[in-house]
Amino acid sequence: MKILRCTAAAVVIFALAFTAFYGKTKIAESGVSALPAEYKGILTLWHIDTFEGGVGSRKQFLMSMSRDFEKRNTGVLVMATEHTVNSAKQAFNEGKRPDLISFGVGADVKDMRPLDIDLPAYGGVYGGVTYAVPWARGGYCVIENPDYVGNKKEKPPIIVSQGEYTNPLLAFLLSGKSETDFEILSPMDAYVKFVSGKVRYLLGTQRDINRLYTRGMDFVSSPLNGYNDLYQYIAITSVDPVKAEYCQKFVKFILSDDIQKNLHKIGMYSCYYRVEYGEPDMAAMQNAESGYFISAFSSAELIRDLQAKSRSAAAGNTGELTEIKKLIVS
């Protein structure tokens, strides 16, 4: 028995020594901490859609990328919540605010912190300071139905897919194209009318291209590069200085090439890196860099005014384009 006790003791001593010296080294090499992680906090992220994406959910994409961020920043959690423009405004009015906010033009976000980012902001600069940067973008295009068999003697109107905060007509006009006969419909109504075969042309976005791929319908698309307001921005609104530092890290993480090149998962594009697409129409859309865009902080009232001016310009009032260019960014 004495021999067994001595043997057991020797085994325990060897195991402790092995763990303390060799095991400690291997754990460090693996990148796994031997100590409990220090809790640092939860970053709240609000996501607001103001335009149609490509496929799937931008919020779900952010949540998936957030899990990767959490793995690289032990003790930090990111909690994403989806909002509409109105629900976000109401929450702000009630004194609630997130640490991070993902939004499109029309959301009218205020009280943002400056970003420590050395990248083009595409409308996210105010007073020479960058407050928001786009982490994803879409684009406008003219889509033709090659099988259209309507009355050749009558010229059908171009169907325009316009959302509450988007301006496809301005993209059309600033791309050097002219047309006076338009029918403006909501995105889904415009798509349905186009696929019904009643019209030849649809002025749409990357969302329509992805829908047509899914449907298996033949089409020809031409990207527009005159103007784009289909940018999904990210900004920091945290009032906590420690959290704000982690928010800066999160923004840089979302803008890193590893994350940006994954935007094909939601059928969208990066402003900074090439996203690989096998489909020629999606690849062509990526190459269309727009000459004009709108400030990320534009109000809904300004957007409605620009939509009205664009309709007037499309109807032949060319002087409106001069006025419009004073209100947007080149």
Side-chain angles (χ1 to χ4, degrees), residues 72-203:
R72 303 183 191 195
N73 295 270
T74 307
V76 179
L77 301 176
V78 181
M79 183 175 69
T81 304
E82 193 158 18
H83 273 281
T84 64
V85 171
N86 291 333
S87 68
K89 284 182 179 179
Q90 182 178 343
F92 272 118
N93 291 336
E94 292 172 354
K96 302 172 185 176
R97 62 187 301 121
D99 297 306
L100 292 152
I101 187 163
S102 165
F103 66 99
V105 295
D108 200 12
V109 178
K110 295 181 173 63
D111 299 326
M112 292 164 282
R113 283 178 176 262
L115 289 174
D116 181 23
I117 299 292
D118 187 22
L119 288 171
Y122 295 90
V125 176
Y126 181 79
V129 179
T130 298
Y131 290 98
V133 287
W135 65 266
R137 70 174 173 90
Y140 290 111
C141 58
V142 176
I143 304 173
E144 179 184 2
N145 178 1
D147 298 324
Y148 174 71
V149 291
N151 190 335
K152 302 297 183 181
K153 296 181 180 179
E154 295 181 5
K155 187 179 181 182
I158 292 179
I159 299 300
V160 180
S161 173
Q162 180 174 294
E164 185 175 358
Y165 304 104
T166 67
N167 199 343
L169 268 182
L170 188 53
F172 187 85
L173 296 170
L174 290 178
S175 295
K177 299 183 181 298
S178 61
E179 181 61 60
T180 57
D181 196 3
F182 288 95
E183 182 181 359
I184 299 175
L185 298 173
S186 69
M188 182 51 71
D189 288 344
Y191 169 76
V192 169
K193 188 161 187 175
F194 179 73
V195 298
S196 70
K198 296 178 181 178
V199 293
R200 184 173 180 179
Y201 295 104
L202 169 66
L203 176 46

Side-chain angles (χ1 to χ4, degrees), residues 169 173 306-321 324:
L169 268 182
L173 296 170
L306 288 172
Q307 288 172 338
K309 290 181 183 299
S310 298
R311 289 193 297 271
S312 176
N317 194 349
T318 54
E320 292 282 21
L321 277 181
I324 288 173

Side-chain angles (χ1 to χ4, degrees), residues 202-254:
L202 169 66
L203 176 46
T205 71
Q206 76 292 329
R207 178 61 174 143
D208 297 296
I209 288 178
N210 280 289
R211 284 190 179 117
L212 291 169
Y213 280 147
T214 301
R215 188 181 183 89
M217 177 176 169
D218 289 335
F219 65 93
V220 178
S221 70
S222 301
L224 300 175
N225 59 5
Y227 166 85
N228 193 5
D229 50 25
L230 306 178
Y231 294 103
Q232 189 72 34
Y233 296 93
I234 191 163
I236 299 173
T237 51
S238 180
V239 295
D240 184 313
V242 176
K243 285 188 175 183
E245 286 300 312
Y246 282 102
C247 289
Q248 294 279 4
K249 289 185 68 175
F250 183 82
V251 173
K252 290 179 180 179
F253 175 73
I254 289 296

Side-chain angles (χ1 to χ4, degrees), residues 61-73 78 116-117 119 135 234 246-262 273:
F61 180 85
L62 281 175
M63 288 177 64
S64 176
M65 298 305 104
S66 296
R67 302 295 82 82
D68 290 342
F69 179 78
E70 291 169 355
K71 292 175 184 176
R72 303 183 191 195
N73 295 270
V78 181
D116 181 23
I117 299 292
L119 288 171
W135 65 266
I234 191 163
Y246 282 102
C247 289
Q248 294 279 4
K249 289 185 68 175
F250 183 82
V251 173
K252 290 179 180 179
F253 175 73
I254 289 296
L255 296 178
S256 66
D257 59 346
D258 287 347
I259 304 303
Q260 292 284 291
K261 290 176 181 179
N262 275 317
Y273 301 97

Side-chain angles (χ1 to χ4, degrees), residues 262-277:
N262 275 317
L263 287 171
H264 66 87
K265 294 179 179 179
I266 53 172
M268 298 189 72
Y269 308 103
S270 168
C271 290
Y272 313 110
Y273 301 97
R274 183 167 185 81
V275 181
E276 293 301 325
Y277 282 103

